[in-house]
Amino acid sequence: MHDFFIKLSIHQDMLLDRIENLKAQIAELKADNSEALEALRIKYLSKKGEITALFNEFRNVPNDQKKEFGQRLNELKALATDKINSLKEEFKAKEVVANKIDITRPAFPEEIGTRHPISLVRKEIIDIFSRLGFTLADGPEVEDDMHVFTSLNFAADHPARDMQDTFFINEDKSGDVTRNIVLRSHTSSVQSRVMKTTEPPIRIICPGRVYRNEAITARAHCFFHQIEGLYIDKNVSFADLKQVLLYFAKELFGPDTKIRLRPSYFPFTEPSAEMDVSCMLCGGEGCGFCKHTGWVEILGCGMVDPNVLELCGIDSKVYTGYAFGVGVERITNLKYMVKDLRMFSENDVRFLREFEHTH
Ligand code: PHE
């Protein structure tokens, strides 16, 4: 018995010595490439490594000393792992300096982009109206039913509220239209916001993205861009609207451009019209592009319905106004003969580059 204990304690002393020795060795380790480092890992930490061997011998330590040994062994293992990791960092940093790798350099040659055709045309339209004294107004793309429909005189059962046209985010059954949240289907929502908060005269344009629940094809997309115009003052007439739109058409498509207004319907304007411009390809003679009519449609417009003025807190006995809405993709298509709407959102740089020198 006695003998056995002596043997054990000798064995333990040896183990302790080996742990201390290894600690000292590890503190001194050096490696300056990954092969040397891997050799060290194998020597100490692999299945047949020295530290792993100590763990195997741990079995023979008496129970009452297992705790202390266990701790020391774990410390040793942690020390070795940390050392190997820090050696790795060290020689990596050295390698970077030695090879003069500039880690701030971009991975690929950076291509310079171009302005998107929609941005270019949007800017052109904004510039034209700015010259006429219109200022920019903005509003959210995620809007409530109140601003998109109700205060613009849309009847409760108007088809545009239908799921086919509008993306609903939240449908509130309580009938409180400010809690029905949609992706705006037109920028006219900004109109209602501005009218509710601003005393006339109001003369604004609101450029922005709009969303409609449509299948994506060459001719329709689930999102596109509009620019809405609104002018409210005393004595604003249809003649004012027509004059502004004629100026706009000539600035955009050239001085020989003619316009015509066809009666139409929008819930928020009365009377309402759609505007055509003389075909930019044949000058009005009639060609394949204008389907031999000589005209192409470019926007919707009209006199703001007195109901809308009242719903937005403007006295319709004192003020009148006009509004118009232009589709930016539509204008871009006409100016540049883009046949497929999807080109605008695919961002193929070969397509986008074609517009580089047009402005
Ligand atoms: N908001 C209409 C649309 O999206 C366009 C429009 C704006 C028509 C202003 C008349 C007046 O189709």
Side-chain angles (χ1 to χ4, degrees):
M1 252 341 221
H2 183 70
D3 225 26
F4 176 72
F5 275 119
I6 290 175
K7 248 195 189 160
L8 253 190
S9 66
I10 290 172
H11 181 249
Q12 279 148 227
D13 283 349
M14 276 169 54
L15 276 184
L16 279 179
D17 277 354
R18 277 167 67 192
I19 291 177
E20 288 313 310
N21 271 342
L22 281 173
K23 273 190 180 170
Q25 264 182 43
I26 285 165
E28 298 297 313
L29 289 183
K30 288 197 172 33
D32 39 35
N33 58 51
S34 42
E35 290 82 45
L37 193 73
E38 179 60 6
L40 291 180
R41 194 193 62 79
I42 292 172
K43 181 166 192 282
Y44 293 102
L45 291 168
S46 70
K47 264 191 179 165
K48 294 195 174 131
E50 292 187 28
I51 296 178
T52 320
L54 281 177
F55 271 94
N56 292 338
E57 285 182 42
F58 182 66
R59 253 181 286 133
N60 304 326
V61 173
N63 280 345
D64 62 341
Q65 292 176 38
K66 274 207 156 83
K67 191 171 168 209
E68 198 201 332
F69 270 95
Q71 256 172 15
R72 286 183 184 229
L73 274 177
N74 282 333
E75 273 168 28
L76 176 66
K77 190 174 176 189
L79 190 79
T81 317
D82 286 352
K83 181 73 186 184
I84 285 178
N85 285 341
S86 67
L87 284 174
K88 192 179 196 172
E89 293 301 317
E90 258 173 47
F91 78 70
K92 259 193 177 171
K94 272 189 211 146
E95 258 174 21
V96 170
V97 176
N99 298 339
K100 295 211 170 46
I101 298 171
D102 177 0
I103 53 173
T104 62
R105 255 185 70 178
F108 301 102
E110 222 166 280
E111 299 255 0
I112 305 225
T114 62
R115 299 277 293 276
H116 194 284
I118 296 294
S119 307
L120 292 169
V121 173
R122 176 178 169 275
K123 181 174 181 299
E124 197 179 344
I125 299 173
I126 292 174
D127 285 350
I128 296 173
F129 287 109
S130 302
R131 292 201 286 278
L132 293 170
F134 286 80
T135 53
L136 280 178
D138 202 4
E141 292 180 17
V142 181
E143 254 297 9
D144 58 19
D145 176 303
M146 178 62 125
H147 291 96
V148 181
F149 298 127
T150 304
S151 57
L152 291 172
N153 205 29
F154 279 79
D157 55 357
H158 193 282
R161 294 175 190 240
D162 200 292
M163 293 298 278
Q164 281 160 23
D165 283 310
T166 308
F167 286 112
F168 286 84
I169 294 196
N170 177 42
E171 274 199 280
D172 189 85
K173 301 277 177 248
S174 71
D176 176 355
V177 289
T178 61
R179 293 168 65 178
N180 271 345
I181 308 297
V182 302
L183 290 182
R184 66 178 176 196
S185 52
H186 55 180
T187 41
S188 307
S189 53
V190 185
Q191 241 196 70
S192 39
R193 278 189 178 268
V194 173
M195 282 193 282
K196 280 180 185 172
T197 51
T198 319
E199 283 281 315
I202 295 171
R203 196 190 275 146
I204 52 159
I205 42 171
C206 335
R209 185 177 281 183
V210 301
Y211 301 84
R212 291 189 193 173
N213 196 354
E214 305 233 18
I216 298 170
T217 65
R219 301 173 60 87
H221 210 293
C222 60
F223 69 80
F224 56 99
H225 300 79
Q226 284 189 331
I227 298 182
E228 174 98 0
L230 174 71
Y231 178 39
I232 297 175
D233 204 344
K234 290 174 182 154
N235 300 320
V236 178
S237 73
F238 204 95
D240 296 320
L241 170 63
K242 208 172 159 183
Q243 197 55 40
V244 159
L245 293 180
L246 177 62
Y247 174 80
F248 168 62
K250 284 177 184 275
E251 287 293 291
L252 201 58
F253 294 112
D256 297 330
T257 310
K258 295 180 197 57
I259 63 167
R260 78 172 180 188
L261 291 155
R262 285 177 289 105
S264 185
Y265 173 78
F266 299 102
F268 36 92
T269 45
E270 181 58 37
S272 305
E274 263 159 329
M275 183 172 105
D276 297 339
V277 291
S278 47
C279 177
M280 49 292 294
L281 266 194
C282 62
E285 297 284 309
C287 68
F289 184 70
C290 58
K291 301 200 183 78
H292 303 283
T293 62
W295 298 99
V296 285
E297 184 196 319
I298 69 159
L299 57 79
C301 60
M303 299 305 291
V304 181
D305 192 308
N307 270 347
V308 172
L309 294 176
E310 294 295 334
L311 284 166
C312 296
I314 291 176
D315 188 343
S316 65
K317 286 184 211 67
V318 181
Y319 294 105
T320 51
Y322 62 70
F324 54 86
V326 198
V328 183
E329 277 78 354
R330 171 95 187 127
I331 302 286
T332 312
N333 283 349
L334 294 177
K335 275 187 81 95
Y336 299 111
M337 306 294 156
V338 178
K339 294 238 164 52
D340 190 330
L341 263 183
R342 290 167 291 196
M343 306 282 269
F344 293 127
S345 46
E346 277 165 1
N347 283 338
D348 183 330
V349 285
R350 290 166 302 183
F351 168 71
L352 299 178
R353 276 222 186 90
E354 288 185 33
F355 299 87
E356 211 160 15
H357 302 296
T358 55
H359 284 252

